[in-house]
Amino acid sequence: MPDTTRTAESDPTKTMDEPTGSTSSSSAHEVSPHLEPKPASETPSTETIFDCRNVDVLYSGKLAVAEVTAPLMKREITALIGPSGCGKSTFLRCLNRMNDLIPGAEVRGEIIYHGQDLYAKDVDPVQVRKHIGMVFQKPNPFPKSIYENIAFGPRIVGMKGDMDEIVENALKRASLWDDVKDRLKDNAFGMSGGQQQRLCIARALAVEPDVLLMDEPCSALDPISTNRIEDLMLEIKEQYSIVIVTHNMQQAARVSDKTAFFTVDLSAGESNRVGRLVEHDVTEKIFTQPEDKRTEEYVTGKFG
Amino acid sequence: MAGTPSTTQPAMGGGGSGPNLLRTRTPRSVGENAIRVSLFVAAAISVITTTLIVLSLLRETVAFFGDVGATEFLFGTKWTPQLAGEQQSFGMVPVLVGTLYITGIAMLVAVPLGLLAAIYLSEYAPPRVRKIIKPILEVLAGVPTIVFGFFALTFITPELLRPLLGPEVQQSNQLAAGLLVGLLVLPTIASVAEDAMTAVPYSLREGAFGMGASRLIVSLRVVFPAALSGIIAALVLGASRAIGETLVILLAGGSGQLLPQIVTDPTQASGSMAAFIASTATGDAPTGSIEFETIFAVGFTLFVICLVLNLLSIRLVGKYRQVYE
Ligand SMILES: Nc1ncnc2c1ncn2[C@@H]1O[C@H](COP(=O)(O)OP(=O)(O)OP(=O)(O)O)[C@@H](O)[C@H]1O
Ligand SMILES: [Mg+2]
């Protein structure tokens, strides 16, 4: 089996300029435990938001995802695609340390975010998640009112300002305001699935993160709701970096700037299946002239 | 199933063409009918016995109120049903207050400890720890209550309360009884509340963690409110157990037979309605006497209190219930 990370190395999108202040040695961290994103620079999409270096994920000592090396770009939408079980969700959860919540999960390697390794010893995962929000496959609003769903995050992170305004802004950004402005006090469970998912996006945006991770956010939704969420992603990518896992090729093609294709490596046997990054490139290239045969087979539907 | 064709019959029975859809009597279908009937009988027996118990309570209670005015019983503050003549009085308030007093102390102990234990087990404990502690809690919830009463009598009062509060602490006292009833219902509350919190879908926690909520915030602001209906059920279950608890109070808190006034001092004995019933019923009050009927009047009142408590909880549980697909 050839080293699949090679393709990522030769990835033309990889800018070799290091993010500010990062050193390649993981022992010399002078990072503060409070991750404060630095002000945005004028030149988007040549700057990395996550610089992943040799990321391995293990569950109870068993390798699930191996050797992911990829720079993910600021203010772009990166789509993660690949067959079921190839570790897309697992890799996504590394990016905001959600894997810390799974007993037995272990992450190796480095993920440099604003010059700091997310997995450095003194980094607090709770702080990380305040800046890197997440939207899940199934809408998961809290059993509270629409208003309280949005206000929850800003309250716990101690955001200052008028809460009504914060809630209104978040709902507007998720283009949900007009749907719900007259029933903010209603329970969120009374909304449609698509509205619930947009509520979850609004909820994540309310704490003003700088990255949004989305794990198959549309898989439980009808095409119209899916469309609205895709439009929404395209709107908000001006301000946020987005990483989205999707099984929907058209969706990846429609919304993403870059696409990363993962696959399951069975070379060590069926019981040692490992997810690997095969190719990471400009979306159009992945879908029209991929470097790797496996990518081509997958995107043309001959595989998985 | 009843429609399964018997193997001894040809596969095409009924209509000639097409599969046989007719009901046939097979040993299995007869067996299933027998099971259904016996299940119904079992359900019916429990309903009938409960009704009979209530009716028998009611009969003696009605007889009691033929002799004693309801106002005296419900609002009088002198409870001396065992005394003779002029001294005899049926004001139930002191024994009701004793019941609530001891239950109050018990809940003061059991609610905070039980909820903290539930939060710990459901949100903080590593799976391994939970696997050990949860069954222990469930076993503790089933320890015979007489053990707790005996422990109060031989240890809590003489070794703990008297050294701390002075020798005037009575052998039976409300504090010891309350503390022990609290310990008694603690595992019930912890275990039922933990079940309710564990049942909250993980996706809700994920949503909150994903926004930068700490474990404490997730526990208190997401899981706890989402599990509120089950937690209320746990508290009501605990309170009903405390109110109905008999042996611990009889041994460690007083018999509730002679309460000329309301007892407000926790170091003094009082008793509870259940303890009164137990001690009086095992005493020598002759059947048909007013002393004997008192048992039923108190029992009926206890029944009504628990009924109200449960109805209340059903309403509260319904109000806070969340349906997660
Ligand atoms: N919590 C976990 N504990 C143990 N193993 C896990 C856990 N989550 C995922 N895995 C394993 O890690 C591998 C990758 O799973 P992951 O869920 O990341 O795949 P995926 O690409 O997101 O798949 P899908 O497209 O079906 O969502 C799988 O082999 C899976 O069995
Ligand atoms: Mg997944």
Side-chain angles (χ1 to χ4, degrees):
Chain A
M1 172 96 206
D3 184 355
T4 49
T5 57
R6 285 286 164 264
T7 44
E9 297 275 300
S10 63
D11 178 352
T13 64
K14 174 152 184 168
T15 55
M16 291 313 291
D17 49 346
E18 295 285 335
T20 37
S22 94
T23 53
S24 43
S25 136
S26 54
S27 55
H29 292 294
E30 336 91 294
V31 287
S32 83
H34 302 287
L35 280 162
E36 290 304 333
K38 310 218 160 52
S41 96
E42 281 76 54
T43 50
S45 62
T46 56
E47 243 186 296
T48 55
I49 185 76
F50 292 111
D51 194 5
C52 308
R53 299 172 183 170
N54 277 313
V55 176
D56 292 344
V57 189
L58 299 90
Y59 289 115
S60 316
K62 223 178 132 273
L63 203 57
V65 176
E67 294 171 39
V68 178
T69 297
L72 307 184
M73 294 301 166
K74 210 176 250 182
R75 259 163 266 124
E76 282 193 352
I77 299 178
T78 302
L80 309 182
I81 61 168
S84 212
C86 67
K88 304 177 295 293
S89 303
T90 298
F91 175 68
L92 191 74
R93 283 198 305 262
C94 293
L95 300 177
N96 71 343
R97 298 200 54 170
M98 281 304 270
N99 281 333
D100 287 38
L101 300 168
I102 300 173
E106 185 192 340
V107 177
R108 294 183 186 151
E110 285 179 1
I111 296 178
I112 309 295
Y113 168 74
H114 291 287
Q116 304 169 71
D117 180 3
L118 289 180
Y119 285 86
K121 276 209 173 57
D122 49 1
V123 168
D124 177 0
V126 171
Q127 296 298 328
V128 170
R129 295 185 206 118
K130 286 180 183 168
H131 300 291
I132 307 172
M134 194 153 194
V135 176
F136 301 84
Q137 180 166 0
K138 223 183 89 201
N140 57 350
F142 301 130
K144 301 174 194 275
S145 71
I146 294 171
Y147 185 96
E148 287 301 319
N149 261 277
I150 306 286
F152 177 85
R155 282 203 189 113
I156 61 165
V157 303
M159 269 170 71
K160 308 232 167 6
D162 180 20
M163 189 55 74
D164 291 352
E165 219 166 278
I166 292 174
V167 170
E168 182 174 339
N169 282 339
L171 287 169
K172 278 183 175 156
R173 259 177 290 173
S175 61
L176 194 57
W177 175 249
D178 291 327
D179 296 28
V180 301
K181 62 171 184 266
D182 300 322
R183 49 183 181 122
L184 294 175
K185 295 273 166 287
D186 289 6
N187 194 302
F189 282 18
M191 306 165 88
S192 75
Q195 287 175 326
Q196 287 189 13
Q197 193 63 304
R198 274 183 285 145
L199 181 71
C200 292
I201 295 174
R203 185 177 73 176
L205 295 180
V207 295
E208 294 180 357
D210 118 286
V211 183
L212 203 56
L213 308 178
M214 308 175 103
D215 194 346
E216 301 186 41
C218 303
S219 67
L221 306 183
D222 67 285
I224 293 170
S225 306
T226 301
N227 242 325
R228 294 197 65 164
I229 289 185
E230 287 177 7
D231 289 346
L232 177 61
M233 289 169 64
L234 291 171
E235 263 166 54
I236 62 176
K237 79 165 201 185
E238 311 281 319
Q239 299 155 62
Y240 305 91
S241 310
I242 299 175
V243 185
I244 176 176
V245 172
T246 179
H247 273 288
N248 181 335
M249 294 300 125
Q250 286 86 29
Q251 180 167 64
R254 278 192 301 260
V255 300
S256 69
D257 301 292
K258 302 283 161 55
T259 296
F261 171 63
F262 287 73
T263 193
V264 185
D265 174 4
L266 292 168
S267 60
E270 177 64 39
S271 59
N272 286 314
R273 46 210 332 272
V274 177
R276 286 181 195 276
L277 174 63
V278 174
E279 196 168 347
H280 172 214
D281 212 325
V282 176
T283 296
E284 204 182 299
K285 182 146 183 293
I286 292 280
F287 281 96
T288 54
Q289 34 183 195
E291 307 264 340
D292 198 288
K293 195 154 177 322
R294 288 166 296 176
T295 313
E296 186 182 346
E297 283 174 354
Y298 186 77
V299 299
T300 54
K302 286 192 195 111
F303 172 84
Chain B
M1 298 300 276
T4 311
S6 136
T7 45
T8 57
Q9 279 178 344
M12 297 294 171
S17 66
N20 179 11
L21 301 176
L22 298 181
R23 217 184 279 282
T24 42
R25 278 177 70 89
T26 62
R28 201 147 65 116
S29 70
V30 173
E32 278 202 22
N33 274 333
I35 288 172
R36 203 177 55 213
V37 169
S38 52
L39 288 178
F40 174 78
V41 169
I45 286 175
S46 65
V47 172
I48 291 167
T49 42
T50 311
T51 316
L52 287 178
I53 289 170
V54 174
L55 285 179
S56 76
L57 267 181
L58 210 55
R59 205 185 60 196
E60 302 287 340
T61 307
V62 168
F64 174 82
F65 283 114
D67 298 330
V68 178
T71 324
E72 183 193 347
F73 180 70
L74 291 177
F75 302 107
T77 55
K78 188 174 171 208
W79 180 248
T80 53
Q82 308 286 44
L83 297 184
E86 280 295 285
Q87 296 288 358
Q88 195 173 39
S89 172
F90 296 95
M92 191 201 49
V93 173
V95 70
L96 179 65
V97 169
T99 308
L100 298 181
Y101 200 108
I102 292 171
T103 302
I105 296 174
M107 295 306 272
L108 236 44
V109 174
V111 172
L113 287 181
L115 293 186
L116 286 177
I119 291 175
Y120 170 75
L121 281 180
S122 141
E123 305 303 308
Y124 285 85
R128 227 159 25 96
V129 175
R130 163 131 115 246
K131 253 202 218 123
I132 299 169
I133 295 186
K134 188 80 205 281
I136 294 180
L137 271 185
E138 270 152 15
V139 168
L140 273 182
V143 169
T145 62
I146 187 96
V147 175
F148 283 80
F150 193 68
F151 178 66
L153 201 61
T154 59
F155 179 78
I156 297 291
T157 299
E159 306 289 338
L160 201 70
L161 297 183
R162 284 206 176 118
L164 277 175
L165 303 175
E168 63 278 5
V169 175
Q170 287 189 358
Q171 162 114 356
S172 287
N173 62 80
Q174 305 191 87
L175 188 54
L179 289 176
L180 263 295
V181 173
L183 288 186
L184 183 82
V185 300
L186 168 68
T188 306
I189 291 181
S191 177
V192 177
E194 196 265 350
D195 285 340
M197 294 177 67
T198 315
V200 172
Y202 187 71
S203 63
L204 283 190
R205 296 180 179 82
E206 257 184 345
F209 279 125
M211 280 189 290
S214 63
R215 203 167 276 277
L216 186 66
I217 286 177
V218 172
S219 309
L220 298 183
R221 310 260 301 257
V222 177
V223 179
F224 194 90
L228 199 56
S229 77
I231 289 170
I232 290 171
L235 299 187
V236 172
L237 195 64
S240 325
R241 266 202 84 177
I243 287 177
E245 174 47 36
T246 309
L247 283 174
V248 173
I249 297 172
L250 196 55
L251 246 60
S255 67
Q257 287 197 330
L258 191 67
L259 295 168
Q261 70 272 314
I262 295 170
V263 183
T264 50
D265 182 347
T267 65
Q268 304 297 303
S270 68
S272 71
M273 302 166 81
F276 168 82
I277 294 170
S279 59
T280 310
T282 52
D284 42 16
T287 314
S289 68
I290 180 78
E291 290 81 6
F292 186 75
E293 283 162 5
T294 317
I295 300 172
F296 291 90
V298 172
F300 188 74
T301 315
L302 191 57
F303 175 80
V304 170
I305 290 174
C306 286
L307 193 70
V308 168
L309 202 60
N310 280 292
L311 288 179
L312 199 72
S313 91
I314 290 172
R315 281 201 57 173
L316 284 174
V317 166
K319 182 166 172 220
Y320 292 107
R321 162 150 299 154
Q322 291 299 338
V323 186
Y324 309 101
E325 289 164 296

